Amino acid sequence: MALSNAYTEAYGKLGDFFSKLRDGQAPPQFTQQFLIDLGFKSNKQRAYIPLLKALGFLTPDGKPTARYKDYRDHSQSKQIMGEALKEAYADIFLIKEHPTSADHSAIEGKFKSYHNASDNVALNMRRTFFSLLDLADLKAKQSSKKKLNQQKATNQRVL
């Protein structure tokens, strides 16, 4: 997917939510009950689960991925979020490599046209994206694990 359509109206709590993910253990299965157990009880916060899937933190059936587990390492969590955003929202990064608040209307317009979204939905998509962007480091180099995997793949092709 080049541009995620996952969003939440509870974008203001995403920082708290990802802090709890980083500081807690990964569950065997990420369920609505686990979300409630973390303290996120609002119906609007249920949208965090599809958002985690869009970011590659969960498999389609709700199991935590390596990205989820890597995010729990405080030393690389911002970098991991940056990588997740660059994948889930690749089309936005084609518009602007380092989006800022000056790009709000262009990004909202992209959500509207790409997903045929209403004004309100596009606004929430943009707010969700920028809330996640606050948790990310886009300038960090690729994670060493990802580099290592790419080197292994290259070495295998050479052999």
Side-chain angles (χ1 to χ4, degrees):
M1 183 182 300
L3 186 60
S4 172
N5 64 350
Y7 71 93
T8 178
E9 292 178 45
Y11 53 86
K13 294 280 187 189
L14 284 171
D16 295 340
F17 174 67
F18 279 95
S19 287
K20 292 221 178 179
L21 292 189
R22 192 180 55 224
D23 296 339
Q25 278 192 311
Q29 184 89 18
F30 201 105
T31 62
Q32 284 187 14
Q33 185 57 52
F34 183 72
L35 190 64
I36 291 167
D37 292 346
L38 287 175
F40 298 92
K41 299 175 175 142
S42 162
N43 285 343
K44 291 180 179 180
Q45 292 166 334
R46 288 184 187 172
Y48 291 174
I49 296 173
L51 191 57
L52 287 173
K53 290 176 182 179
L55 292 169
F57 279 70
L58 298 177
T59 61
D61 62 349
K63 290 181 177 48
T65 63
R67 176 172 283 161
Y68 183 118
K69 292 168 185 159
D70 291 345
Y71 183 79
R72 295 182 56 243
D73 176 350
H74 285 245
S75 70
Q76 62 175 350
S77 59
K78 284 182 169 279
Q79 184 178 331
I80 297 295
M81 181 60 78
E83 290 172 8
L85 287 177
K86 285 178 182 177
E87 286 175 22
Y89 296 95
D91 281 17
I92 288 178
F93 295 102
L94 293 175
I95 296 170
K96 187 80 179 264
E97 187 177 6
H98 297 286
T100 65
S101 57
D103 305 308
H104 279 188
S105 61
I107 289 170
E108 212 168 300
K110 182 67 177 171
F111 282 122
K112 272 189 203 176
S113 63
Y114 193 90
H115 294 297
N116 194 25
S118 69
D119 290 349
N120 194 41
V121 168
L123 175 67
N124 283 319
M125 287 175 167
R126 191 246 314 148
R127 287 176 170 166
T128 298
F129 171 74
F130 276 96
S131 293
L132 293 168
L133 197 58
D134 289 343
L135 307 175
D137 180 357
L138 299 176
K139 294 176 180 144
K141 301 292 180 217
Q142 285 184 328
S143 70
S144 53
K145 245 185 211 180
K146 194 168 184 176
K147 277 186 191 171
L148 187 62
N149 288 340
Q150 286 176 342
Q151 286 173 345
K152 283 181 186 173
T154 303
N155 290 343
Q156 287 174 347
R157 278 183 248 144
V158 172
L159 299 175

